Amino acid sequence: MAKTRIFTCSVCGATQSKWSGQCEACGAWNSIAEEAPLSTGPGTKGLKARGTRLQLTDLAAQETPPPRTSSRLEELDRVLGGGLVPASAILVGGDPGIGKSTLLLQAAARFAQNGLKTVYISGEEAAAQVRMRAQRLGLGQAPVALASETSLRDILTTLDAERPDLVIIDSIQTMWSDTVDSAPGSVSQVRAAAHELTTFAKRRGCSVILVGHVTKEGQIAGPRVVEHMVDTVLYFEGERGHQFRILRAVKNRFGPADEIGVFEMTGGGLAEVANPSALFLSDRGEPSAGSVVFAGIEGTRPVLVEFQALVAPTPHSQPRRSVVGWDGGRLAMILAVLEARCGIPFAGLDVYLNVAGGMKISEPAADLAVAAALLSAREDVALDAHTVVFGEISLSGALRPVSQWENRLKEAKKLGFTSAITPAGGTPGSDQGMKQQPMKDLTQVVGEIFGAG
Ligand code: TYD
Ligand code: MG
């Protein structure tokens, strides 16, 4: 029987039966590579192979929570769900140059100082380079074992002998397994290397942290399957021009997803930011039209950020809609609701929306803050500088209550805000001493806050 060949796209992970220059699923060019054949056990040859019978257990069996090692970097520990779990596999993805190697070198040093036998393998930089960086970060004395290597076989042999508690692989795209016949960085290589390393982690009780570069499309380069193989996926993000960096858990088998850790890139490496709201709002000047502070929740922590909008007549036939830090589709929806339900047209106007500080917001609770920023910019009415805003907007223009009301108000009060524009009919619990302006729908906001409509 002819062997079935599988070709995989390295951008979207789609599979097809023949090679082509362009991926049929996502349209990327030169991204198709042949998948290495799966190992052929007896079962695949049509023979009936007998396996071993499994020991089944019931759900009532007592499980003790896994012991965790703290990095004493609170921002990192929180994102991991309270520290590093033994034998876990973690993927840290991010744009090149964002600071992944810096973060993991600092983490490696901290874990090593806290008693974990730690090995740092760099496939990208020479050992001398890593050593120099460690010295510049003041970590030259940390007991981290270092190697510069890309051959997976040599790495696994070394790890087998060394028996570390934690190994950091920087990066998975540079690893090369001789069991797979394709170039490093290709889908099959990345998949094979990730598989061998995560299997090693489980078998030897060693935690593995894999660094992965992100493509322009925002995916971890190579197959998304790496994300399925690991226990935890963290993204390290930030804007190039800003010094803030956000470590975000997008998947975590050992803790809550959506948790964030905030860091600042300084000359001496990454510094923790214990109070992100104060930092994100630190550049705020005089109250100005188009600026609105959103009382948000990231993971378990309230975070205040500023939305800035600019609305100006367009010189083009097609007005521009430009968004940084927020979803473009969601912006279109809010513009449509303002137009259809409140009679505020944005046709013929360019709209720019920006989250200050390079933060990315995905909570629907930010809808009302975005709408308020757009209205404030369009009507040229500045919102009171001591007011925060939150609430979800439905397609009918009605405002929906959001979760963690009290926490949002508490954080706002802590930062010196005195009032909040909120959806009506929620369950605020204690108002935390904040004046609340409950709004039923967007029309009420337009009329009462901005005197328009
Ligand atoms: P790096 O950790 O090499 O990024 P990645 O591994 O994600 O590609 O970080 C590179 C950037 O960080 C580089 O532009 C310089 C900057 N940086 C600092 O600003 N301060 C520092 O102490 C260090 C080590 C790097
Ligand atoms: Mg790097």
Side-chain angles (χ1 to χ4, degrees), residues 96-102 120 122 124-125 133 170-171 211 213:
I98 205 74
K100 299 181 295 300
S101 302
T102 310
Y120 186 102
S122 178
E124 303 196 333
E125 293 163 297
R133 175 181 303 182
D170 186 4
S171 66
V211 174
H213 292 300

Side-chain angles (χ1 to χ4, degrees), residues 4-15:
T4 338
R5 299 172 71 184
I6 301 172
F7 295 84
T8 310
C9 170
S10 64
V11 174
C12 67
T15 54

Side-chain angles (χ1 to χ4, degrees), residues 35 53 58 73 130 139 145 147 158 164 176 182 225 257 268 272 292 294 298 303 335 346 364 372 396 398:
E35 188 76 13
R53 190 164 165 190
D58 56 32
L73 284 170
V130 181
L139 304 171
T158 314
W176 172 77
S182 59
V225 285
E272 293 186 88
V292 168
F294 165 55
E298 291 291 330
V303 175
L335 289 172
F346 282 85
S396 67

Side-chain angles (χ1 to χ4, degrees), residues 1 23 25 71 111 139-140 165 249-250 276 292 301 392 428:
M1 197 179 74
C23 172
S71 63
F111 283 121
L139 304 171
D165 301 309
V250 294
V292 168
R301 188 164 56 163
E392 189 179 336

Side-chain angles (χ1 to χ4, degrees), residues 48-292:
K48 271 253 179 345
R50 280 186 78 94
T52 7
R53 190 164 165 190
L54 301 177
Q55 195 70 45
L56 301 174
T57 59
D58 56 32
L59 290 172
Q62 278 295 319
E63 270 315 318
T64 45
R68 292 176 186 264
T69 307
S70 161
S71 63
R72 307 239 172 97
L73 284 170
E74 212 186 297
E75 297 297 304
L76 174 62
D77 284 351
R78 177 164 357 87
V79 175
L80 289 173
L84 185 71
V85 174
S88 56
I90 298 161
L91 177 68
V92 178
D95 290 326
I98 205 74
K100 299 181 295 300
S101 302
T102 310
L103 174 73
L104 291 175
L105 191 58
Q106 287 182 262
R110 294 298 192 104
F111 283 121
Q113 284 160 347
N114 287 328
L116 294 189
K117 183 169 178 186
T118 305
V119 173
Y120 186 102
I121 311 254
S122 178
E124 303 196 333
E125 293 163 297
Q129 255 175 305
V130 181
R131 211 175 294 123
M132 258 162 52
R133 175 181 303 182
Q135 280 160 10
R136 201 150 50 80
L137 296 173
L139 304 171
Q141 302 306 314
V144 177
L146 196 63
S148 172
E149 185 52 64
T150 57
S151 157
L152 197 61
R153 187 178 293 273
D154 293 351
I155 291 171
L156 289 173
T157 307
T158 314
L159 296 178
D160 250 336
E162 294 280 340
R163 297 293 189 99
D165 301 309
L166 169 64
V167 54
I168 292 165
I169 304 286
D170 186 4
S171 66
I172 189 69
Q173 276 98 2
T174 56
M175 291 299 127
W176 172 77
S177 164
D178 55 13
T179 58
V180 177
D181 192 18
S182 59
S186 66
V187 191
S188 358
Q189 278 289 357
V190 169
R191 183 181 296 198
H195 177 72
E196 288 195 46
L197 286 160
T198 48
T199 320
F200 174 85
K202 302 295 164 201
R203 200 180 60 222
R204 289 291 192 197
C206 159
S207 299
V208 177
I209 302 182
L210 309 174
V211 174
H213 292 300
V214 161
T215 60
K216 272 203 252 30
E217 288 75 23
Q219 294 177 338
I220 291 186
R224 303 217 69 180
V225 285
V226 177
E227 296 194 4
H228 303 296
M229 279 184 221
V230 296
D231 301 308
T232 302
V233 178
L234 309 179
Y235 274 94
F236 203 40
E237 45 186 51
E239 295 292 320
R240 275 295 174 81
H242 291 285
Q243 68 274 44
F244 314 128
R245 297 284 181 272
I246 292 161
L247 186 64
R248 186 186 295 276
V250 294
K251 160 182 172 179
N252 196 349
R253 287 187 186 144
F254 303 118
D258 286 334
E259 196 68 80
I260 64 163
V262 184
F263 297 87
E264 190 177 357
M265 184 59 103
T266 69
L270 290 157
E272 293 186 88
V273 175
N275 190 342
S277 303
L279 187 73
F280 289 135
L281 298 181
S282 62
D283 294 340
R284 242 157 54 96
E286 292 295 301
S288 60
S291 151
V292 168

